[in-house]
Amino acid sequence: MSSLFPTYQRFDIHVKAGKGTQLIDEKGKTYLDFIAGIAVCNVGHRHPEVQKAIEEQLNQVWHVSNLFHQSIQEEVATTLANHSSGDAVFFCNSGAEANEAAIKLARKHTKKHKIITFTKSFHGRTFATMTATGQAKIHDGFGPLVNEFVYLPYNDEEALKNEMDDTVAAIMVEVIQGEGGVVLGTESFLKTIQQLCETYEALFIVDEVQTGIGRTGKPFAYQHFHLSPDIITAAKGLGSGMPIGAMIGKSYLKEAFGPGSHGTTFGGNPIALASAKATLNIIFNDSFLVEVLEKSNEFKQKLSEMLKAYSFVTDIRGKGFMIGIECDDHQAALLEAMRSKGLLALGAGPHVIRLLPPLTVTKEELNQALQIIEESFSETKITL
Ligand SMILES: *Cc1c(COP(=O)(O)O)cnc(C)c1O
Protein backbone atom coordinates (compact mmCIF):
# COMPACT_ATOMS: atom_id res chain seq x y z
CA MET A 1 0.00 0.00 0.00
CA SER A 2 1.41 3.34 -1.03
CA SER A 3 1.45 6.27 1.38
CA LEU A 4 1.24 8.71 -1.55
CA PHE A 5 -1.88 10.29 -3.01
CA PRO A 6 -2.40 8.44 -6.26
CA THR A 7 -2.39 11.62 -8.40
CA TYR A 8 0.02 10.04 -10.87
CA GLN A 9 -0.12 6.88 -12.89
CA ARG A 10 3.53 5.87 -12.81
CA PHE A 11 5.74 3.73 -15.05
CA ASP A 12 6.86 0.47 -13.52
CA ILE A 13 10.39 1.84 -13.18
CA HIS A 14 12.15 2.50 -9.87
CA VAL A 15 14.80 5.09 -10.64
CA LYS A 16 18.13 4.81 -8.94
CA ALA A 17 20.49 7.21 -10.70
CA GLY A 18 20.97 9.41 -13.72
CA LYS A 19 23.90 10.74 -15.73
CA GLY A 20 23.68 12.74 -18.94
CA THR A 21 20.97 11.21 -21.14
CA GLN A 22 20.93 7.96 -19.14
CA LEU A 23 18.71 6.81 -16.30
CA ILE A 24 19.46 3.65 -14.35
CA ASP A 25 16.81 1.72 -12.43
CA GLU A 26 17.17 -0.32 -9.26
CA LYS A 27 17.60 -3.53 -11.27
CA GLY A 28 20.51 -2.00 -13.15
CA LYS A 29 18.68 -1.52 -16.45
CA THR A 30 19.72 1.65 -18.29
CA TYR A 31 17.39 3.84 -20.31
CA LEU A 32 17.86 6.65 -22.78
CA ASP A 33 15.86 9.38 -21.13
CA PHE A 34 13.92 11.28 -23.81
CA ILE A 35 11.56 12.61 -21.16
CA ALA A 36 14.29 14.45 -19.25
CA GLY A 37 12.09 15.01 -16.21
CA ILE A 38 9.41 16.50 -18.53
CA ALA A 39 11.65 18.98 -20.36
CA VAL A 40 13.50 19.83 -17.15
CA CYS A 41 16.94 18.23 -17.46
CA ASN A 42 17.91 20.21 -20.56
CA VAL A 43 21.64 19.72 -19.93
CA GLY A 44 21.13 16.07 -18.94
CA HIS A 45 21.17 14.53 -15.52
CA ARG A 46 23.79 15.86 -13.12
CA HIS A 47 25.73 17.99 -15.57
CA PRO A 48 29.16 18.39 -13.93
CA GLU A 49 29.20 22.21 -14.16
CA VAL A 50 25.74 22.47 -12.63
CA GLN A 51 26.57 19.94 -9.94
CA LYS A 52 29.71 21.92 -9.05
CA ALA A 53 27.75 25.17 -8.80
CA ILE A 54 25.20 23.53 -6.50
CA GLU A 55 27.92 22.01 -4.32
CA GLU A 56 29.66 25.39 -4.02
CA GLN A 57 26.41 27.05 -3.00
CA LEU A 58 25.75 24.27 -0.45
CA ASN A 59 28.95 25.39 1.24
CA GLN A 60 27.85 29.04 1.35
CA VAL A 61 24.22 29.37 2.45
CA TRP A 62 21.03 27.40 1.68
CA HIS A 63 18.22 29.84 2.33
CA VAL A 64 17.70 33.33 3.73
CA SER A 65 14.38 34.50 2.16
CA ASN A 66 13.73 37.57 0.06
CA LEU A 67 14.15 39.88 3.03
CA PHE A 68 17.84 39.99 2.05
CA HIS A 69 19.81 40.94 -1.05
CA GLN A 70 21.32 37.98 -2.87
CA SER A 71 23.60 38.90 -5.74
CA ILE A 72 22.96 35.59 -7.51
CA GLN A 73 19.30 36.63 -8.00
CA GLU A 74 20.42 39.82 -9.74
CA GLU A 75 22.87 37.90 -11.90
CA VAL A 76 20.36 35.31 -13.11
CA ALA A 77 17.66 37.96 -13.56
CA THR A 78 20.02 40.02 -15.73
CA THR A 79 20.86 36.96 -17.84
CA LEU A 80 17.15 36.22 -18.37
CA ALA A 81 16.42 39.85 -19.23
CA ASN A 82 19.38 40.04 -21.64
CA HIS A 83 18.04 37.03 -23.54
CA SER A 84 14.38 38.05 -23.69
CA SER A 85 12.08 41.01 -24.31
CA GLY A 86 11.69 41.42 -20.53
CA ASP A 87 13.59 43.63 -18.09
CA ALA A 88 12.62 42.46 -14.60
CA VAL A 89 12.23 39.04 -13.00
CA PHE A 90 10.14 37.58 -10.17
CA PHE A 91 11.54 34.24 -9.02
CA CYS A 92 9.27 31.48 -7.73
CA ASN A 93 9.35 27.68 -7.52
CA SER A 94 7.37 26.29 -10.43
CA GLY A 95 5.69 26.93 -13.74
CA ALA A 96 2.27 27.30 -12.19
CA GLU A 97 3.59 29.92 -9.77
CA ALA A 98 5.24 31.84 -12.60
CA ASN A 99 1.93 31.88 -14.51
CA GLU A 100 0.02 32.72 -11.34
CA ALA A 101 2.32 35.74 -10.87
CA ALA A 102 1.76 36.75 -14.51
CA ILE A 103 -2.02 36.58 -14.09
CA LYS A 104 -1.93 38.60 -10.87
CA LEU A 105 0.38 41.18 -12.42
CA ALA A 106 -1.84 41.48 -15.50
CA ARG A 107 -4.88 42.19 -13.32
CA LYS A 108 -3.04 44.67 -11.13
CA HIS A 109 -1.38 46.57 -13.97
CA THR A 110 -4.36 46.75 -16.33
CA LYS A 111 -7.06 47.00 -13.63
CA LYS A 112 -9.02 44.55 -15.83
CA HIS A 113 -9.66 40.88 -15.21
CA LYS A 114 -10.70 39.06 -18.38
CA ILE A 115 -7.99 36.78 -19.73
CA ILE A 116 -8.05 34.94 -23.03
CA THR A 117 -6.37 31.54 -23.29
CA PHE A 118 -6.72 28.70 -25.81
CA THR A 119 -8.23 25.24 -26.00
CA LYS A 120 -5.79 22.38 -25.31
CA SER A 121 -3.46 24.78 -23.51
CA PHE A 122 -1.75 23.86 -20.28
CA HIS A 123 -0.75 26.49 -17.74
CA GLY A 124 -0.62 24.69 -14.37
CA ARG A 125 -2.63 23.29 -11.47
CA THR A 126 -3.18 26.18 -9.07
CA PHE A 127 -6.66 27.69 -9.17
CA ALA A 128 -5.91 30.51 -11.58
CA THR A 129 -3.55 28.51 -13.80
CA MET A 130 -5.87 25.48 -13.80
CA THR A 131 -8.65 27.82 -14.90
CA ALA A 132 -6.36 29.30 -17.55
CA THR A 133 -5.79 25.78 -18.86
CA GLY A 134 -8.23 25.18 -21.71
CA GLN A 135 -8.96 21.51 -20.99
CA ALA A 136 -12.17 20.33 -19.31
CA LYS A 137 -10.52 17.21 -17.89
CA ILE A 138 -8.15 19.39 -15.82
CA HIS A 139 -11.10 21.38 -14.37
CA ASP A 140 -13.24 18.34 -13.60
CA GLY A 141 -14.57 18.34 -10.03
CA PHE A 142 -12.82 21.54 -8.91
CA GLY A 143 -15.36 24.25 -9.71
CA PRO A 144 -16.26 27.02 -9.33
CA LEU A 145 -13.27 28.27 -11.26
CA VAL A 146 -11.66 31.71 -11.25
CA ASN A 147 -13.39 34.58 -13.05
CA GLU A 148 -12.89 35.38 -15.91
CA PHE A 149 -11.14 33.21 -18.47
CA VAL A 150 -12.28 32.82 -22.06
CA TYR A 151 -11.03 29.89 -24.18
CA LEU A 152 -10.63 30.32 -27.92
CA PRO A 153 -9.51 27.83 -30.56
CA TYR A 154 -5.73 27.86 -31.09
CA ASN A 155 -4.46 29.37 -34.35
CA ASP A 156 -7.89 30.88 -35.10
CA GLU A 157 -7.31 34.56 -35.87
CA GLU A 158 -10.96 35.31 -36.65
CA ALA A 159 -12.22 33.97 -33.32
CA LEU A 160 -9.62 36.07 -31.57
CA LYS A 161 -10.47 39.27 -33.45
CA ASN A 162 -14.17 38.73 -32.66
CA GLU A 163 -13.56 38.24 -28.95
CA MET A 164 -11.00 40.97 -28.40
CA ASP A 165 -12.01 44.30 -26.90
CA ASP A 166 -10.79 46.73 -24.28
CA THR A 167 -12.12 44.65 -21.36
CA VAL A 168 -9.36 42.09 -21.92
CA ALA A 169 -6.48 42.23 -19.42
CA ALA A 170 -4.24 39.72 -21.12
CA ILE A 171 -3.87 36.99 -23.70
CA MET A 172 -1.85 34.03 -22.47
CA VAL A 173 -0.44 31.56 -24.96
CA GLU A 174 2.09 28.79 -25.49
CA VAL A 175 3.81 29.40 -28.84
CA ILE A 176 4.05 25.61 -29.08
CA GLN A 177 1.43 23.74 -27.06
CA GLY A 178 3.26 21.04 -25.12
CA GLU A 179 0.74 18.98 -23.15
CA GLY A 180 -1.84 19.72 -25.86
CA GLY A 181 0.15 17.63 -28.39
CA VAL A 182 3.22 19.59 -29.60
CA VAL A 183 1.01 21.94 -31.63
CA LEU A 184 2.85 24.84 -33.24
CA GLY A 185 1.35 28.28 -33.27
CA THR A 186 1.46 29.98 -36.67
CA GLU A 187 3.51 33.14 -36.98
CA SER A 188 0.50 35.04 -38.29
CA PHE A 189 -1.68 33.95 -35.33
CA LEU A 190 0.98 34.86 -32.79
CA LYS A 191 1.60 38.23 -34.44
CA THR A 192 -2.14 38.90 -34.39
CA ILE A 193 -2.12 38.31 -30.62
CA GLN A 194 0.75 40.75 -30.21
CA GLN A 195 -0.96 43.39 -32.31
CA LEU A 196 -4.39 43.01 -30.65
CA CYS A 197 -2.74 43.32 -27.23
CA GLU A 198 -1.12 46.57 -28.32
CA THR A 199 -4.37 47.94 -29.74
CA TYR A 200 -6.50 47.12 -26.69
CA GLU A 201 -3.89 47.73 -23.97
CA ALA A 202 -3.83 44.12 -22.88
CA LEU A 203 -0.71 42.22 -21.84
CA PHE A 204 0.80 39.62 -24.14
CA ILE A 205 1.85 36.72 -21.91
CA VAL A 206 3.87 33.87 -23.38
CA ASP A 207 4.01 30.69 -21.29
CA GLU A 208 7.51 29.34 -21.99
CA VAL A 209 7.50 26.92 -19.07
CA GLN A 210 8.06 23.97 -21.42
CA THR A 211 9.37 25.66 -24.58
CA GLY A 212 11.88 27.97 -22.90
CA ILE A 213 15.53 27.60 -21.87
CA GLY A 214 16.83 26.36 -25.21
CA ARG A 215 14.32 23.54 -25.67
CA THR A 216 13.46 24.65 -29.21
CA GLY A 217 16.93 25.85 -30.19
CA LYS A 218 16.44 29.47 -29.07
CA PRO A 219 16.61 30.82 -25.52
CA PHE A 220 12.81 31.22 -25.73
CA ALA A 221 10.58 29.71 -28.41
CA TYR A 222 8.75 33.01 -29.14
CA GLN A 223 12.07 34.21 -30.63
CA HIS A 224 11.44 31.98 -33.66
CA PHE A 225 8.47 34.23 -34.45
CA HIS A 226 9.91 37.73 -33.93
CA LEU A 227 7.56 38.68 -31.09
CA SER A 228 8.02 40.95 -28.11
CA PRO A 229 5.82 39.66 -25.27
CA ASP A 230 5.13 41.81 -22.20
CA ILE A 231 5.53 38.82 -19.90
CA ILE A 232 7.39 35.54 -20.35
CA THR A 233 7.13 32.70 -17.85
CA ALA A 234 9.79 30.02 -17.46
CA ALA A 235 10.40 27.12 -15.12
CA LYS A 236 11.01 23.53 -16.20
CA GLY A 237 14.46 23.70 -17.82
CA LEU A 238 15.63 26.69 -15.81
CA GLY A 239 17.10 24.87 -12.84
CA SER A 240 18.13 21.50 -14.34
CA GLY A 241 15.89 19.82 -11.76
CA MET A 242 16.20 22.24 -8.84
CA PRO A 243 12.70 23.69 -8.38
CA ILE A 244 12.58 27.21 -9.82
CA GLY A 245 10.26 29.37 -11.86
CA ALA A 246 10.59 32.88 -13.21
CA MET A 247 8.21 35.54 -14.43
CA ILE A 248 10.01 37.96 -16.72
CA GLY A 249 8.26 41.24 -17.50
CA LYS A 250 8.86 44.55 -19.21
CA SER A 251 10.12 47.37 -17.01
CA TYR A 252 6.91 49.41 -17.03
CA LEU A 253 5.26 46.54 -15.12
CA LYS A 254 7.57 47.01 -12.12
CA GLU A 255 5.31 49.65 -10.62
CA ALA A 256 2.37 47.24 -10.20
CA PHE A 257 4.54 44.74 -8.30
CA GLY A 258 5.85 47.04 -5.57
CA PRO A 259 6.84 45.98 -2.03
CA GLY A 260 4.20 43.78 -0.39
CA SER A 261 2.19 43.20 -3.57
CA HIS A 262 3.30 39.62 -4.21
CA GLY A 263 5.71 37.23 -2.54
CA THR A 264 7.12 33.80 -1.88
CA THR A 265 9.19 32.28 0.91
CA PHE A 266 11.26 29.90 -1.18
CA GLY A 267 11.28 31.68 -4.56
CA GLY A 268 14.78 32.84 -5.46
CA ASN A 269 16.36 30.22 -3.22
CA PRO A 270 20.15 30.40 -3.71
CA ILE A 271 20.64 26.67 -4.40
CA ALA A 272 18.02 26.76 -7.16
CA LEU A 273 19.57 30.00 -8.43
CA ALA A 274 23.08 28.54 -8.46
CA SER A 275 21.74 25.69 -10.55
CA ALA A 276 19.98 28.14 -12.89
CA LYS A 277 23.08 30.30 -13.28
CA ALA A 278 25.22 27.32 -14.30
CA THR A 279 22.45 25.97 -16.56
CA LEU A 280 21.97 29.26 -18.42
CA ASN A 281 25.72 29.65 -18.74
CA ILE A 282 25.72 26.44 -20.79
CA ILE A 283 22.48 26.92 -22.76
CA PHE A 284 22.34 30.66 -23.52
CA ASN A 285 25.31 30.36 -25.81
CA ASP A 286 25.05 30.77 -29.56
CA SER A 287 27.19 27.81 -30.54
CA PHE A 288 25.38 25.50 -28.09
CA LEU A 289 22.01 26.52 -29.53
CA VAL A 290 23.18 26.23 -33.13
CA GLU A 291 24.27 22.69 -32.36
CA VAL A 292 20.86 21.93 -30.81
CA LEU A 293 19.19 23.07 -34.03
CA GLU A 294 21.57 21.06 -36.21
CA LYS A 295 21.29 17.87 -34.17
CA SER A 296 17.53 18.12 -33.84
CA ASN A 297 16.94 18.90 -37.53
CA GLU A 298 19.03 15.93 -38.60
CA PHE A 299 17.21 13.70 -36.11
CA LYS A 300 13.77 14.87 -37.24
CA GLN A 301 14.70 14.32 -40.87
CA LYS A 302 15.84 10.76 -40.21
CA LEU A 303 12.76 10.13 -38.11
CA SER A 304 10.44 11.37 -40.87
CA GLU A 305 12.24 9.26 -43.45
CA MET A 306 12.03 6.17 -41.25
CA LEU A 307 8.39 6.56 -40.24
CA LYS A 308 7.12 7.06 -43.81
CA ALA A 309 6.57 3.31 -43.89
CA TYR A 310 3.88 3.52 -41.22
CA SER A 311 0.46 4.62 -42.37
CA PHE A 312 -0.71 5.20 -38.79
CA VAL A 313 1.89 7.98 -38.41
CA THR A 314 0.10 11.11 -39.56
CA ASP A 315 2.59 13.86 -38.70
CA ILE A 316 6.03 14.55 -37.28
CA ARG A 317 6.50 18.07 -36.02
CA GLY A 318 8.20 20.31 -33.52
CA LYS A 319 11.07 22.70 -33.07
CA GLY A 320 14.47 21.86 -31.69
CA PHE A 321 14.20 19.00 -29.23
CA MET A 322 10.48 19.34 -28.65
CA ILE A 323 9.27 16.74 -31.12
CA GLY A 324 5.86 15.16 -31.60
CA ILE A 325 5.03 12.00 -33.58
CA GLU A 326 1.31 11.95 -34.24
CA CYS A 327 -0.25 8.50 -34.60
CA ASP A 328 -3.83 7.66 -35.52
CA ASP A 329 -3.76 5.09 -32.79
CA HIS A 330 -1.45 2.79 -30.83
CA GLN A 331 0.21 5.56 -28.81
CA ALA A 332 0.21 3.55 -25.57
CA ALA A 333 1.51 0.35 -27.22
CA LEU A 334 4.32 2.22 -28.96
CA LEU A 335 5.39 4.03 -25.79
CA GLU A 336 5.37 0.72 -23.94
CA ALA A 337 7.42 -1.02 -26.65
CA MET A 338 9.97 1.82 -26.64
CA ARG A 339 10.20 1.72 -22.86
CA SER A 340 10.79 -2.01 -22.76
CA LYS A 341 13.65 -1.54 -25.24
CA GLY A 342 15.16 1.19 -23.10
CA LEU A 343 13.86 4.46 -24.57
CA LEU A 344 11.73 6.71 -22.37
CA ALA A 345 9.28 8.98 -24.18
CA LEU A 346 6.10 10.75 -23.22
CA GLY A 347 2.56 11.03 -24.52
CA ALA A 348 0.98 14.41 -25.26
CA GLY A 349 -2.78 14.16 -25.65
CA PRO A 350 -4.17 10.83 -26.89
CA HIS A 351 -2.35 10.63 -30.23
CA VAL A 352 1.09 12.15 -29.91
CA ILE A 353 4.40 10.64 -28.82
CA ARG A 354 6.54 13.42 -27.43
CA LEU A 355 10.33 13.29 -27.51
CA LEU A 356 12.15 15.66 -25.15
CA PRO A 357 15.77 14.51 -24.92
CA PRO A 358 18.34 16.54 -23.03
CA LEU A 359 19.72 19.23 -25.37
CA THR A 360 23.14 17.72 -24.68
CA VAL A 361 22.12 14.38 -26.23
CA THR A 362 24.89 12.97 -28.44
CA LYS A 363 24.50 11.93 -32.08
CA GLU A 364 25.24 8.37 -31.04
CA GLU A 365 22.41 8.44 -28.49
CA LEU A 366 20.10 9.92 -31.11
CA ASN A 367 20.96 7.08 -33.48
CA GLN A 368 20.33 4.52 -30.73
CA ALA A 369 16.96 6.12 -30.11
CA LEU A 370 16.12 5.99 -33.83
CA GLN A 371 16.91 2.30 -33.86
CA ILE A 372 14.67 1.62 -30.85
CA ILE A 373 11.87 3.68 -32.40
CA GLU A 374 12.17 1.73 -35.64
CA GLU A 375 12.10 -1.64 -33.86
CA SER A 376 9.17 -0.58 -31.69
CA PHE A 377 7.14 0.72 -34.61
CA SER A 378 7.76 -2.30 -36.81
CA GLU A 379 6.88 -4.72 -34.00
CA THR A 380 3.73 -2.83 -33.18
CA LYS A 381 2.73 -2.84 -36.82
CA ILE A 382 3.15 -6.62 -36.98
CA THR A 383 1.22 -7.34 -33.82
CA LEU A 384 -1.75 -5.16 -34.77
C1 LIG B 1 4.54 22.11 -17.01
C2 LIG B 1 3.88 23.34 -17.47
C3 LIG B 1 3.32 24.25 -16.57
C4 LIG B 1 3.24 23.98 -15.09
O1 LIG B 1 4.48 23.92 -14.49
P1 LIG B 1 4.62 23.30 -13.00
O2 LIG B 1 6.07 23.51 -12.66
O3 LIG B 1 4.22 21.87 -13.10
O4 LIG B 1 3.71 24.06 -12.12
C5 LIG B 1 2.80 25.42 -17.08
N1 LIG B 1 2.81 25.69 -18.39
C6 LIG B 1 3.33 24.84 -19.29
C7 LIG B 1 3.35 25.20 -20.74
C8 LIG B 1 3.87 23.63 -18.87
O5 LIG B 1 4.36 22.76 -19.76
Side-chain angles (χ1 to χ4, degrees):
M1 251 273 276
S2 171
S3 306
L4 300 170
F5 271 105
T7 48
Y8 279 88
Q9 187 158 21
R10 295 166 195 260
F11 306 131
D12 188 21
I13 296 174
H14 297 253
V15 176
K16 181 157 182 226
K19 183 91 189 97
T21 308
Q22 288 201 333
L23 269 190
I24 300 156
D25 75 7
E26 286 175 357
K27 294 178 198 146
K29 178 167 175 172
T30 64
Y31 294 88
L32 281 175
D33 185 5
F34 277 36
I35 296 176
I38 317 183
V40 166
C41 305
N42 286 7
V43 293
H45 295 283
R46 296 197 299 112
H47 190 289
E49 285 168 40
V50 180
Q51 179 153 340
K52 183 161 164 267
I54 294 169
E55 284 170 2
E56 281 172 7
Q57 187 61 45
L58 282 172
N59 289 322
Q60 298 290 323
V61 67
W62 295 2
H63 178 81
V64 293
S65 86
N66 291 305
L67 300 173
F68 297 84
H69 291 284
Q70 300 173 69
S71 60
I72 195 161
Q73 289 188 354
E74 292 287 347
E75 280 180 64
V76 177
T78 302
T79 303
L80 289 170
N82 285 346
H83 291 83
S84 73
S85 59
D87 308 291
V89 177
F90 175 82
F91 286 114
C92 51
N93 310 288
S94 66
E97 282 174 75
N99 287 336
E100 189 81 21
I103 292 163
K104 286 181 71 176
L105 179 56
R107 278 193 177 190
K108 197 143 187 293
H109 171 78
T110 64
K111 302 184 175 66
K112 302 186 271 187
H113 66 269
K114 191 201 277 186
I115 296 181
I116 293 176
T117 64
F118 299 92
T119 49
K120 294 195 184 162
S121 59
F122 185 81
H123 298 296
R125 300 284 196 158
T126 63
F127 253 99
T129 62
M130 168 181 73
T131 307
T133 295
Q135 301 188 50
K137 68 171 190 205
I138 304 273
H139 300 161
D140 192 25
F142 293 115
L145 302 176
V146 174
N147 262 333
E148 175 184 3
F149 285 83
V150 176
Y151 315 109
L152 298 179
Y154 195 62
N155 280 336
D156 186 337
E157 288 164 51
E158 284 314 304
L160 188 57
K161 284 177 189 160
N162 289 337
E163 183 66 32
M164 195 66 186
D165 61 27
D166 57 15
T167 68
V168 174
I171 302 178
M172 185 176 209
V173 68
E174 297 156 89
V175 299
I176 303 173
Q177 292 187 325
E179 303 306 308
V182 192
V183 184
L184 280 80
T186 64
E187 177 147 353
S188 144
F189 172 66
L190 296 168
K191 284 197 159 144
T192 301
I193 296 180
Q194 167 114 46
Q195 185 225 316
L196 288 171
C197 284
E198 279 163 17
T199 307
Y200 292 100
E201 294 185 10
L203 297 185
F204 178 21
I205 304 172
V206 173
D207 178 346
E208 292 264 6
V209 170
Q210 186 159 158
T211 49
I213 321 298
R215 177 53 52 190
T216 70
K218 298 263 187 200
F220 295 99
Y222 78 81
Q223 291 159 342
H224 289 285
F225 304 97
H226 316 292
L227 306 166
S228 179
D230 300 295
I231 297 178
I232 302 130
T233 56
K236 290 191 165 93
L238 181 54
S240 288
M242 294 299 119
I244 179 172
M247 181 201 62
I248 311 161
K250 289 193 171 169
S251 61
Y252 67 86
L253 295 169
K254 275 183 168 177
E255 204 181 308
F257 254 15
S261 57
H262 190 50
T264 163
T265 300
F266 288 117
N269 168 277
I271 296 169
L273 267 287
S275 181
K277 181 182 165 184
T279 301
L280 295 182
N281 193 39
I282 298 164
I283 295 177
F284 284 3
N285 173 304
D286 286 343
S287 62
F288 180 88
L289 291 171
V290 165
E291 199 182 319
V292 167
L293 281 173
E294 280 171 4
K295 280 189 299 192
S296 60
N297 284 339
E298 189 185 327
F299 177 73
K300 240 175 304 174
Q301 211 159 20
K302 287 185 184 169
L303 194 65
S304 302
E305 198 55 41
M306 195 175 90
L307 296 183
K308 266 185 193 159
Y310 301 92
S311 58
F312 58 86
V313 176
T314 49
D315 196 19
I316 293 165
R317 56 177 181 257
K319 272 197 191 299
F321 278 125
M322 186 167 175
I323 299 170
I325 305 171
E326 186 163 310
C327 310
D328 272 348
D329 206 347
H330 326 306
Q331 181 210 46
L334 289 164
L335 285 169
E336 166 82 57
M338 285 156 65
R339 207 156 50 235
S340 74
K341 294 176 197 304
L343 175 62
L344 303 173
L346 202 58
H351 296 294
V352 177
I353 291 172
R354 186 169 27 154
L355 303 174
L356 301 163
L359 310 178
T360 49
V361 65
T362 65
K363 288 191 181 181
E364 196 186 350
E365 289 164 339
L366 289 166
N367 287 335
Q368 281 171 3
L370 282 170
Q371 201 173 335
I372 293 176
I373 293 168
E374 173 139 60
E375 285 167 18
S376 306
F377 274 62
S378 69
E379 255 181 37
T380 304
K381 190 179 174 186
I382 290 160
T383 54
L384 288 172

